[in-house]
Amino acid sequence: KKNIPLLSPDYLELAKMLLEMGQSHLFEHWPEPGVHDDEKRGFFEQVTRLNANYPGGLVSYLKNAKELLADSKAGKNPYDGFTPSVPTGENLTFADDKFIQYEEVGIREAQNSAFVLVAGGLGERLGYNGIKVALPLESCSGTCFLQHYIECILALQEASYRLVEGECQREVPFAIMTSDDTHTRTLALLESNSYFGMKPTQVTLLKQEKVACLEDNDARLALDPNNKYSIQTKPHGHGDVHSLLHSTGLLKQWRDAGVKWVCFFQDTNGLLFKAIPAALGVSATKHYHVNSLAVPRKAKEAIGGIAKLTHADGRTMVINVEYNQLDPLLRATISPEGDVNCETGYSPFPGNINQLILELGPYLEELNKTGGAIKEFVNPKYKDASKTIFKSSTRLECMMQDYPKTLPPTARVGFTVADAWLAYAPVKNNPEDAAKVPKGNPYHSATSGEMAIYRANSRILRKAGVQVDNPEHGVFNEQEVEVWPRIAWKPKWALTFSDVKGKVRGSCFISQKSTMVIKGRNVFLEDLSLDGALLVNSVDEAEVKLGGSVQNKGWVLEKVDHKDTSEPEEVRIRGFKINKIEQLEGNYNEPGKFCLKH
Ligand code: UGB
């Protein structure tokens, strides 16, 4: 690279383009030829990258920026002319007949799916110093988010193979979008753990690049304050995932391999895969081109709302409206009170959890037209009401859930609402901010994220016939939570409700103070009465029965203050640690039939 001469045709072409686009200020301070040539070459290398990484190149970026900045200055509302209404979609009730049917269809379709995790965000709101996917989703098994996601995908794949026995069996591909902030650490996490059991060839890392910053309403590019030969850059948002899948050719590769569904998800939702089989089933049954997974949402809760928008000119779309825009839009149109709860106690607009299932065929067709460009927005912070000077440089941003905005009205855009206890428990807020969340609204913290796993597993077991004690009330990091028995299991033990039911026999009981961690496939609860801690690790060929009365001092939750720096960060942010006093543990490394009893 070093050898590319400064006056190469490629660089001259870029310089000409920048001048034509009103960017002469970038060169004003350049000394005469021969001085700082390496730095100047570095500048062109960066411009080459910025140009290549945006659909339509920098020319498009600057044109879009000028338009969006002008709209922002004029105070134009992107939803002007649109009236919101409550859209129709599928509402799931956990464990009813329809849910079970959808799960079965979903498992069948699982081997025709690909999964895409967007994990380029640093999670500034959480304030955690590591990458979020390395955080444990609960402390009893200690499994981190990335391991859990991979194990879920592998379990889905295997369950799908079992259902379609004899038919073609396809490996489920997994793509992870990273960024400069997360790439190296994500790769290291995978490599140091042998990809958590997935074949490395099954995993693709796509690194998103940052985009150029803008210093004024004329979209003049901002120079890095510490390096005048470098353009300042900032993240472009999770919407980049679409252009990356397109520009790398990955989507075409998947199409050629027979993939039908592309499932997108975010970095820290430990419950998500409990709703994936049913949601996939809904997509396949209803032939949705776009299916957004949603949860009931409290009015003004800080997640986007899914709404049907109808324009005065007849256009309609079903789309996520971010929470800060939904309230003003409602006030300006159909509801003077804004975003308020209806008789169900929730906003009538379901909450977007940014879990999308796209049908690959129509998706690829659309990306071939758009190059993966997603409708962007700009959010400059102005110095004063004249809106002429920015407090700091800004940039264009885009969100993955805005993909349907460019679709024709004929596109089948739907959504699937699942109970929040089953499908959504993200870890986004730091302890201080979580403690300030209005009463009744979810904390979305490491504390609530972990407690949500135990609650969901307890409730699922209850539905499957286990008598699980009521939760106790607990306060950690000033957040009030329900503390259910600490129950965790590996995805290969059970993915669907039918799987869980098949693993429970006779009459079983689990007390509130109990902990149960199942790391094995063929493990059955049979007339088990648990009051303490019970752990089982077994190879697939071992069949293990957990039965009888198990009683011991168990594992106890010990409070930790989030300011106590003697504890590791991942412990502090949840506000408790597990004191492992006594447990019954069974390890089965050989094939055979076993019974773990006290
Ligand atoms: N992410 C990237 O991969 N790259 C980026 O440049 C930025 C983020 P946040 P956000 O579920 O409650 C979304 O920051 O964007 C990844 C929806 O827009 O956690 O504020 C990042 O790693 C909103 O409608 O969330 O809000 C993470 O995995 C609502 O659904 C993901 O993108 C909200 O999530 C989301 O990033 C929610």
Side-chain angles (χ1 to χ4, degrees):
K1 265 195 201 157
K2 278 250 176 282
N3 296 333
I4 299 180
L6 262 179
L7 294 179
S8 74
D10 286 352
Y11 288 175
L12 285 175
E13 194 61 36
L14 287 174
K16 198 166 142 241
M17 176 271 291
L18 287 171
L19 293 177
E20 280 167 3
M21 296 303 293
Q23 306 293 333
S24 57
H25 66 287
L26 296 173
F27 303 100
E28 268 162 12
H29 59 281
W30 281 32
E32 67 275 19
V35 182
H36 293 172
D37 277 4
D38 278 350
E39 287 85 346
K40 292 172 185 166
R41 208 172 277 116
F43 171 85
F44 278 117
E45 281 168 14
Q46 185 198 21
V47 173
T48 307
R49 281 197 305 276
L50 290 172
N51 197 39
N53 288 329
Y54 188 83
L58 272 172
V59 171
S60 292
Y61 183 75
L62 294 167
K63 274 190 191 149
N64 293 342
K66 273 188 192 161
E67 267 176 40
L68 287 166
L69 286 165
D71 288 352
S72 169
K73 184 166 186 243
K76 196 170 156 196
N77 181 340
Y79 295 111
D80 259 358
F82 283 102
T83 305
S85 57
V86 180
T88 47
E90 184 60 89
N91 281 287
L92 299 176
T93 305
F94 177 72
D96 74 359
D97 288 347
K98 199 164 66 166
F99 184 89
I100 292 170
Q101 275 162 20
Y102 277 140
E103 281 202 319
E104 191 179 325
V105 177
I107 293 290
R108 207 168 265 283
E109 289 298 327
Q111 63 150 337
N112 301 326
S113 313
F115 285 84
V116 183
L117 165 64
V118 288
L122 250 192
E124 274 121 355
R125 273 189 281 163
L126 182 64
Y128 174 62
N129 280 310
I131 48 168
K132 294 213 283 171
V133 291
L135 276 172
L137 78 163
E138 36 78 19
S139 339
C140 286
S141 75
T143 308
C144 75
F145 280 101
L146 190 54
Q147 174 171 11
H148 175 71
Y149 295 146
I150 287 181
E151 288 177 349
C152 284
I153 295 168
L154 290 174
L156 272 170
Q157 181 182 293
E158 281 164 33
S160 198
Y161 288 174
R162 283 200 295 278
L163 261 191
V164 297
E165 224 179 332
E167 292 172 33
C168 141
Q169 299 188 333
R170 199 171 282 117
E171 260 176 18
V172 176
F174 180 34
I176 308 172
M177 182 170 80
T178 57
S179 67
D180 276 327
D181 297 326
T182 62
H183 186 83
T184 314
R185 285 177 286 176
T186 308
L187 188 60
L189 181 64
L190 286 167
E191 285 181 340
S192 58
N193 290 286
S194 311
Y195 285 72
F196 298 111
M198 196 172 245
K199 289 186 193 157
T201 47
Q202 230 171 315
V203 185
T204 311
L205 260 55
L206 305 168
K207 186 157 82 76
Q208 64 176 143
E209 297 295 336
K210 292 182 175 159
V211 288
C213 290
L214 309 153
E215 65 183 18
D216 61 20
N217 284 326
D218 293 327
R220 279 156 47 105
L221 295 171
L223 284 170
D224 185 334
N226 302 316
N227 178 359
K228 55 189 177 158
Y229 293 102
S230 176
I231 294 168
Q232 199 183 10
T233 59
K234 285 186 182 169
H236 189 221
H238 37 72
D240 276 348
V241 72
H242 302 292
S243 64
L244 277 171
L245 285 172
H246 176 75
S247 65
T248 55
L250 194 58
L251 205 60
K252 276 210 189 80
Q253 233 170 284
W254 288 351
R255 192 257 331 259
D256 296 344
V259 172
K260 261 167 67 183
W261 308 103
V262 187
C263 310
F264 296 85
F265 62 107
Q266 304 193 140
D267 49 17
T268 56
N269 182 8
L271 292 181
L272 178 73
F273 277 83
K274 295 193 188 294
I276 287 282
L280 249 178
V282 172
S283 275
T285 309
K286 303 207 161 221
H287 308 288
Y288 279 156
H289 295 173
V290 178
N291 182 10
S292 297
L293 198 52
V295 294
R297 168 182 173 280
K298 290 276 181 193
K300 303 193 176 63
E301 190 183 324
I303 62 174
I306 295 179
K308 179 171 181 181
L309 300 180
T310 307
H311 197 270
D313 65 14
R315 276 179 291 151
T316 62
M317 56 183 169
V318 176
I319 197 80
N320 170 63
V321 180
E322 282 297 286
Y323 62 93
N324 54 344
Q325 292 174 318
L326 184 61
D327 189 71
L329 176 64
L330 288 167
R331 281 177 200 279
T333 52
I334 53 167
S335 161
E337 312 86 59
D339 183 18
V340 284
N341 292 327
C342 62
E343 61 284 356
T344 58
Y346 290 95
S347 159
F349 298 92
N352 168 48
I353 61 171
N354 249 10
Q355 155 66 53
L356 306 172
I357 301 178
L358 305 187
E359 189 183 339
L360 189 142
Y363 178 42
L364 184 61
E365 230 172 83
E366 177 68 10
L367 293 198
N368 284 339
K369 279 189 239 151
T370 62
I374 297 300
K375 270 219 170 304
E376 295 162 303
F377 60 95
V378 70
N379 192 11
K381 308 275 180 289
Y382 300 106
K383 211 159 195 171
D384 57 40
S386 72
K387 292 190 173 180
T388 44
I389 300 172
F390 301 167
K391 279 190 193 157
S392 59
S393 67
T394 188
R395 84 293 196 181
L396 301 191
E397 293 176 75
C398 62
M399 300 190 290
M400 76 169 167
Q401 67 270 33
D402 280 345
Y403 163 73
K405 280 191 172 165
T406 55
L407 293 179
T410 48
R412 297 176 64 89
V413 183
F415 63 89
T416 304
V417 184
D419 292 314
W421 68 261
L422 181 75
Y424 191 54
V427 177
K428 297 202 181 211
N429 290 327
N430 61 56
E432 284 97 342
D433 290 345
K436 287 185 219 138
V437 164
K439 220 177 159 58
N441 280 11
Y443 297 117
H444 294 171
S445 65
T447 314
S448 62
E450 174 154 354
M451 289 302 164
I453 306 285
Y454 304 141
R455 178 180 57 193
N457 289 342
S458 296
R459 291 183 67 164
I460 292 169
L461 281 182
R462 269 189 178 179
K463 272 275 174 206
V466 179
Q467 193 197 334
V468 180
D469 252 357
N470 280 331
E472 274 187 0
H473 178 259
V475 181
F476 304 98
N477 282 344
E478 294 172 53
Q479 298 158 54
E480 292 179 29
V481 286
E482 286 181 357
V483 185
W484 290 76
R486 275 66 67 205
I487 299 170
W489 60 70
K490 287 276 175 193
K492 68 177 173 184
W493 185 71
L495 268 175
T496 61
F497 177 60
S498 308
D499 292 341
V500 177
K501 264 180 79 174
K503 296 280 167 71
V504 175
R505 299 167 182 166
S507 126
C508 298
F509 166 75
I510 299 177
S511 75
Q512 189 280 334
K513 72 163 231 209
S514 293
T515 299
M516 180 170 74
V517 181
I518 302 176
K519 294 184 178 178
R521 184 191 302 281
N522 292 308
V523 178
F524 298 87
L525 314 190
E526 192 169 319
D527 295 316
L528 170 73
S529 172
L530 175 62
D531 185 32
L534 174 61
L535 320 173
V536 56
N537 305 297
S538 61
V539 293
D540 290 357
E541 301 73 26
E543 191 183 308
V544 184
K545 219 162 71 181
L546 309 178
S549 166
V550 177
Q551 217 170 3
N552 54 48
K553 296 201 181 87
W555 290 5
V556 178
L557 293 182
E558 233 172 61
K559 287 196 190 195
V560 169
D561 189 284
H562 68 87
K563 294 192 201 92
D564 178 358
T565 48
S566 66
E567 294 290 348
E569 208 182 354
E570 55 274 19
V571 170
R572 275 189 274 142
I573 57 172
R574 54 199 75 218
F576 58 82
K577 63 180 174 186
I578 311 262
N579 186 359
K580 301 177 178 177
I581 301 176
E582 195 187 4
Q583 70 273 325
L584 174 65
E585 181 168 0
N587 293 298
Y588 305 92
N589 302 317
E590 306 290 333
K593 289 195 173 196
F594 307 91
C595 189
L596 178 61
K597 276 193 177 159
H598 199 46

